[in-house]
Amino acid sequence: MKIFLDTADLNEIRKAVSWGIIDGVTTNPTLFSKQKGFSFEDLAREILNTVDGPVSLEVVSDLAEDMVKEARNLNKLGDNVVVKIPFGKEGLKAVRALSSEGIKTNVTLVFSPSQALLAAKAGATYVSIFLGRLDDISNEAFKVLADSVEIFRNYDFRTEIIAASIRHPMHVVQAALIGTDIATVPFAVLEKMFKHPLTDVGIERFKKDWEQFLQSAKKD
Ligand code: G3P
């Protein structure tokens, strides 16, 4: 399973990259709005240079024609750009055009298997299915994800599924259990994935026991 980081925060990206477990990054306008003192292009370029893998940058236009123009400009920012396109008729028109130009796309704001299927048909490189936001409205997020994974397998779609809007480590585990290609994870969730109290207790114990061993070796 590939793990992407869902953030536009360079410090978070640098830390996670240094841990050697990040395959890519996803951003959106909300995540960019949290970063102060950068121009969009400067920050996007810095993220693209920091990450050895795909980086999703989102368009903000409404019409397919404008999305395509925006996407072409975003694509010039680096070799690892993936253009994020909101789901919809205009969005899928843009995805089809971009896919024929070889520009990679990530169809975002996908909340149902039928939407995922249409995005794959349009030639999306990735589709992002939002788990947390489905949970928020008491929908069966994992049914949506599992059905989409199954549909893509049935027809060998090359489009990869990203489990997005992840709120806790179990979202990642459940997505992995059904064979989702990718989970895009906020930094705070990634940190939680490391933690287990028994690991901490175990490390402390090994340290103490080793000290004891060294002390007794000195005496002998
Ligand atoms: O990047 C898209 C998605 O992961 C956003 O998640 O937490 O805003 O629902 P959230």
Side-chain angles (χ1 to χ4, degrees):
M1 188 195 217
K2 283 176 268 189
I3 295 184
F4 290 178
L5 200 63
D6 198 24
T7 186
D9 184 321
L10 265 177
N11 291 327
E12 293 180 351
I13 293 169
R14 287 189 182 122
K15 270 189 211 162
V17 164
S18 78
W19 298 334
I21 46 165
I22 290 304
D23 302 293
V25 162
T26 51
T27 67
N28 60 36
T30 307
L31 294 171
F32 265 94
S33 76
K34 293 178 184 161
Q35 306 308 309
K36 308 290 173 211
F38 296 93
S39 75
F40 169 77
E41 287 208 356
D42 287 349
L43 182 52
R45 275 210 180 87
E46 198 58 42
I47 296 172
L48 288 158
N49 290 334
T50 307
V51 181
D52 184 15
V55 173
S56 292
L57 303 171
E58 191 159 335
V59 298
V60 289
S61 308
D62 294 326
L63 297 176
E65 203 184 315
D66 299 330
M67 287 183 197
V68 169
K69 279 186 204 149
E70 238 190 286
R72 286 182 188 138
N73 287 330
L74 290 174
N75 195 49
K76 286 182 198 146
L77 294 174
D79 292 338
N80 48 343
V81 171
V82 172
V83 180
K84 220 172 181 186
I85 309 265
F87 183 86
K89 289 170 188 155
E90 290 299 309
L92 293 198
K93 247 158 71 179
V95 168
R96 170 55 66 209
L98 293 167
S99 133
S100 64
E101 290 180 25
I103 295 178
K104 292 188 173 144
T105 54
N106 174 359
V107 175
T108 189
L109 294 168
V110 170
F111 294 97
S112 73
S114 61
Q115 291 181 327
L117 173 61
L118 293 177
K121 290 282 298 170
T125 318
Y126 305 97
V127 295
S128 292
I129 299 181
F130 278 41
L131 302 182
R133 292 193 201 183
L134 279 167
D135 285 348
D136 290 344
I137 57 158
S138 305
N139 268 31
E140 285 189 80
F142 275 95
K143 175 111 179 77
V144 172
L145 189 64
D147 286 354
S148 305
V149 167
E150 193 177 331
I151 291 166
F152 282 27
R153 276 200 198 122
N154 287 346
Y155 295 98
D156 284 334
F157 279 119
R158 288 168 64 191
T159 306
E160 291 186 86
I161 296 185
I162 304 179
S165 185
I166 286 206
R167 303 277 162 81
H168 49 72
M170 285 313 290
H171 269 157
V172 182
V173 172
Q174 284 171 298
L177 281 170
I178 56 168
T180 312
D181 304 288
I182 301 152
T184 189
V185 182
F187 186 77
V189 175
L190 184 65
E191 283 206 305
K192 284 184 190 157
M193 288 172 70
F194 276 89
K195 289 195 195 304
H196 197 291
L198 292 179
T199 305
D200 300 340
V201 169
I203 288 172
E204 268 316 298
R205 176 83 178 270
F206 283 147
K207 272 189 191 156
K208 274 192 191 138
D209 290 348
W210 186 245
E211 276 306 314
Q212 241 176 34
F213 168 74
L214 292 178
Q215 290 302 327
S216 66
K218 259 191 214 162
K219 282 178 203 153
D220 293 342

